[in-house]
Amino acid sequence: MTTARRHYHITTFGCQMNKADSERMAGVLEDMGFEWSEDPNDADIILYNTCTIRDNAEQKVYSYLGRQAKRKHEKPDLTLIVAGCVAQQEGEALLRRVPELDLVMGPQHANRLKDLLQQVFDGNQVVATEPIHIMEDITKPRRDATVTAWVNVIYGCNERCTYCVVPNVRGVEQSRTPEAIRAEMEELGRQGYKEVTLLGQNIDAYGRDLPGVTPEGRHKHTFTDLLYYVHDVPGIERLRFATSHPRYFTERLIRACAELPKVCEHFHIPFQSGDNEVLKRMARGYTHEKYRRIIDTIREYMPDAAISADAIVGFPTETEAQFENTLKLVEDIGFDQLNTAAYSPRPGTPAALWDEQISEEVKSDRLQRLNHLVAIKAAERSQRYLGRIEEVLVEDQNPKDTTQVMGRTRTNRLTFFTGRINDLKGKLVKVKVTEVRAFSLTGEPLETRAAMAV
Ligand code: SAM
Ligand code: SF4
């Protein structure tokens, strides 16, 4: 007897962590015999892996969900799942809002998808949002890319930034063991992956929840130690990491990055605001002077390093003068890239309850002014590449021009050049940069370093 194959579709909102969780959940579904469907309307399981960092991300989920809830009336065997941060934040309330839902599961439960689905197939409506110890998942993720991969090193966050919902929805810090991380990377190396980005909401916190202290009284496991430990994984040619927190960023880490040849010269260190009073109200635990010192030290060790960050405008109480301090920081540092956002009040966070909220008009005006400056500074930073020879790891074809391939420099600048993807995918190519734009480059290939094609 043959039965029709059953299909799944996952839509992912939000950050790299969510994308990594989705790859893991896709791996579980494939392990259970489901096949990927590009079109959600052909799928028997629909999973929304959601984000609640800003209100617009959350509202998008409800509109997608509404459409599939309607479809379930025509196809009662459709399984509807909401995973991720909205699921954690709303819990049972989501079932009241969308009774057609079968499963609501917080991010800590991503590795339990198989068990939870079994409960659904047994006829239950399931909510899994209680805090748990995250177990190692032995299922292989279904990764979207074949050259670069994400590897989680620490889940959760113990900070209490007054605007941020992450600690409420992702729980307390839980570091994976160095051995589990290395084993995952070794497998990636064997599969032909060339670049790994190590992920954590606050990656500098890695290891502080693991047991052990050194004779000098340090935590036995720190993120810097982890970099040394995984650096020689065979096949992996490049290492990146995100996100760094200025409160915990150390000179020891900077020295390690300068010393370890596979660690790329790109640092993502959100500053959020350039004003000390605002930083204090955000409970960030550093001043703009400290942030500047970190960047100066990075540039002392690695003069060409690229710096990117996140910033929020219109945080409650932010005055025009305080916002101008953010502009000044951006002007002075010269970021290669900056993710900017207008402050969005989030449920269960202290700043959402403060009286002194900034109007939408002012927020949007500040956001526009900041973005304008960011583009100017990024274009200035790009100029330094003109005429230079850069090493590019080829990831894919240029979707807008199929005669070209695209990849990234060590400093994370997207770079295009003429070539055939079948010959070049996964290779490190020396490229002479002939054209620069604010956030990307074009060049001519010179030579290809023998890195195994994928
Ligand atoms: N853990 C990282 C850190 O400490 O910078 C970032 C985590 S968060 C997923 C990514 C970015 O979202 C933050 O850096 C911040 O700029 C932005 N963000 C967080 N909460 C926000 C809010 N309520 N409104 C606007 N942007 C927000
Ligand atoms: Fe949110 Fe702050 Fe934790 Fe980053 S460090 S995830 S901004 S609470």
Side-chain angles (χ1 to χ4, degrees):
M1 187 184 79
T2 54
T3 49
R5 299 289 287 177
R6 289 173 61 77
H7 290 85
Y8 74 95
H9 182 92
I10 299 183
T11 304
T12 307
F13 302 85
C15 64
Q16 290 167 327
M17 289 260 175
N18 261 15
K19 290 178 188 144
D21 286 347
S22 287
E23 290 185 346
R24 209 158 273 288
M25 291 190 284
V28 172
L29 290 170
E30 301 219 340
D31 203 44
M32 292 174 75
F34 291 95
E35 275 179 23
W36 168 254
S37 160
E38 194 57 41
D39 183 352
N41 293 318
D42 291 337
D44 306 284
I45 294 186
I46 299 272
L47 189 154
Y48 293 113
N49 194 9
T50 60
C51 170
T52 179
I53 201 82
R54 287 183 283 276
D55 190 53
N56 52 5
E58 187 177 334
Q59 294 314 321
K60 224 192 269 177
V61 175
Y62 291 123
S63 96
Y64 279 48
L65 199 52
R67 265 174 263 153
Q68 289 301 330
K70 253 193 216 147
R71 191 172 147 239
K72 185 156 176 160
H73 292 281
E74 288 136 39
K75 180 179 164 53
D77 66 343
L78 174 66
T79 303
L80 269 185
I81 307 172
V82 176
C85 297
V86 173
Q88 186 66 38
Q89 179 182 283
E90 299 298 315
E92 294 242 0
L94 255 182
L95 294 187
R96 287 194 291 277
R97 186 165 176 164
V98 186
E100 292 85 353
L101 271 174
D102 296 287
L103 172 57
V104 174
M105 52 186 285
Q108 291 188 337
H109 294 260
N111 292 354
R112 295 186 57 222
L113 179 60
K114 188 174 181 177
D115 288 349
L116 297 170
L117 262 182
Q118 205 47 61
Q119 294 175 38
V120 169
F121 296 151
D122 289 343
N124 302 302
Q125 207 176 24
V126 182
V127 177
T129 51
E130 70 284 5
I132 55 163
H133 175 71
I134 299 171
M135 306 296 283
E136 277 301 329
D137 176 18
I138 44 156
T139 320
K140 287 208 182 90
R142 175 195 183 272
R143 299 189 192 260
D144 284 339
T146 52
V147 178
T148 59
W150 293 304
V151 171
N152 269 317
V153 305
I154 176 170
Y155 303 101
C157 179
N158 287 7
E159 297 301 300
R160 279 283 175 264
C161 302
T162 51
Y163 52 82
C164 185
V165 77
V166 167
N168 302 352
V169 291
R170 287 202 166 256
V172 294
E173 289 163 3
Q174 296 190 43
S175 301
R176 295 176 69 197
T177 64
E179 293 76 20
I181 295 164
R182 190 178 163 107
E184 185 172 346
M185 289 177 63
E186 284 174 349
E187 179 58 27
L188 287 167
R190 280 193 288 276
Q191 291 170 14
Y193 284 86
K194 294 291 168 308
E195 180 179 300
V196 164
T197 302
L198 304 173
L199 288 182
Q201 287 296 348
N202 170 7
I203 206 152
D204 303 283
Y206 176 78
R208 61 186 182 189
D209 57 315
L210 294 175
V213 277
T214 65
E216 305 83 54
R218 278 197 292 112
H219 284 293
K220 183 164 168 222
H221 300 284
T222 67
F223 181 62
T224 307
D225 297 316
L226 181 70
L227 276 184
Y228 282 106
Y229 180 65
V230 299
H231 188 260
D232 62 349
V233 167
I236 303 300
E237 309 249 359
R238 286 179 169 188
L239 274 178
R240 302 184 186 277
F241 56 89
T243 299
S244 303
H245 196 308
R247 186 182 220 160
Y248 304 105
F249 202 88
T250 62
E251 187 163 347
R252 186 166 168 258
L253 174 61
I254 299 173
R255 274 203 307 273
C257 295
E259 196 178 301
L260 294 170
K262 290 184 185 177
V263 178
C264 292
E265 299 77 17
H266 169 224
F267 296 85
H268 184 70
I269 318 177
F271 61 87
Q272 311 301 359
S273 166
D275 183 85
N276 286 349
E277 188 52 38
V278 174
L279 286 171
K280 208 180 204 173
R281 301 201 108 213
M282 288 176 162
R284 289 289 290 178
Y286 55 86
T287 58
H288 78 87
E289 289 90 351
K290 174 168 181 192
Y291 187 83
R292 286 166 192 265
R293 276 197 302 277
I294 292 171
I295 306 301
D296 286 348
T297 312
I298 291 174
R299 286 176 171 163
E300 252 167 52
Y301 283 88
M302 291 160 276
D304 193 46
I307 312 289
S308 63
D310 303 344
I312 297 176
V313 301
F315 184 71
T317 76
E318 184 190 67
T319 63
E320 172 62 21
Q322 289 171 332
F323 166 65
E324 284 170 12
N325 283 336
T326 292
L327 292 179
K328 179 150 175 37
L329 186 75
V330 172
E331 179 71 50
D332 292 348
I333 301 254
F335 289 94
D336 293 82
Q337 207 230 321
L338 186 67
N339 305 323
T340 59
Y343 169 72
S344 169
R346 305 312 298 130
T349 60
L353 302 174
W354 297 347
D355 290 334
E356 309 93 326
Q357 300 289 325
I358 306 295
S359 73
E360 290 305 319
E361 290 90 314
V362 170
K363 282 194 232 176
S364 128
D365 171 65
R366 288 181 188 168
L367 191 59
Q368 251 178 25
R369 285 156 64 200
L370 179 58
N371 286 342
H372 181 67
L373 179 62
V374 168
I376 292 173
K377 300 308 285 185
E380 278 174 27
R381 289 286 291 162
S382 268
Q383 284 302 322
R384 73 192 197 281
Y385 293 105
L386 200 57
R388 260 173 41 175
I389 294 169
E390 289 288 316
E391 183 194 80
V392 175
L393 174 61
V394 178
E395 293 177 27
D396 235 318
Q397 204 163 47
N398 177 357
K400 293 192 184 143
D401 177 351
T402 52
T403 65
Q404 288 188 335
V405 294
M406 61 183 195
R408 287 180 186 271
T409 63
R410 287 177 62 92
T411 50
N412 210 33
R413 267 285 190 272
L414 188 60
T415 306
F416 303 98
F417 65 91
T418 302
R420 283 159 36 105
I421 191 62
N422 290 347
D423 301 336
L424 295 171
K425 194 163 190 162
K427 293 199 171 152
L428 290 160
V429 182
K430 293 271 185 238
V431 175
K432 179 157 191 207
V433 178
T434 52
E435 240 180 84
V436 298
R437 292 166 296 277
F439 300 105
S440 63
L441 312 171
T442 302
E444 287 161 5
L446 299 179
E447 62 173 272
T448 305
R449 180 139 76 82
M452 193 173 61
V454 182

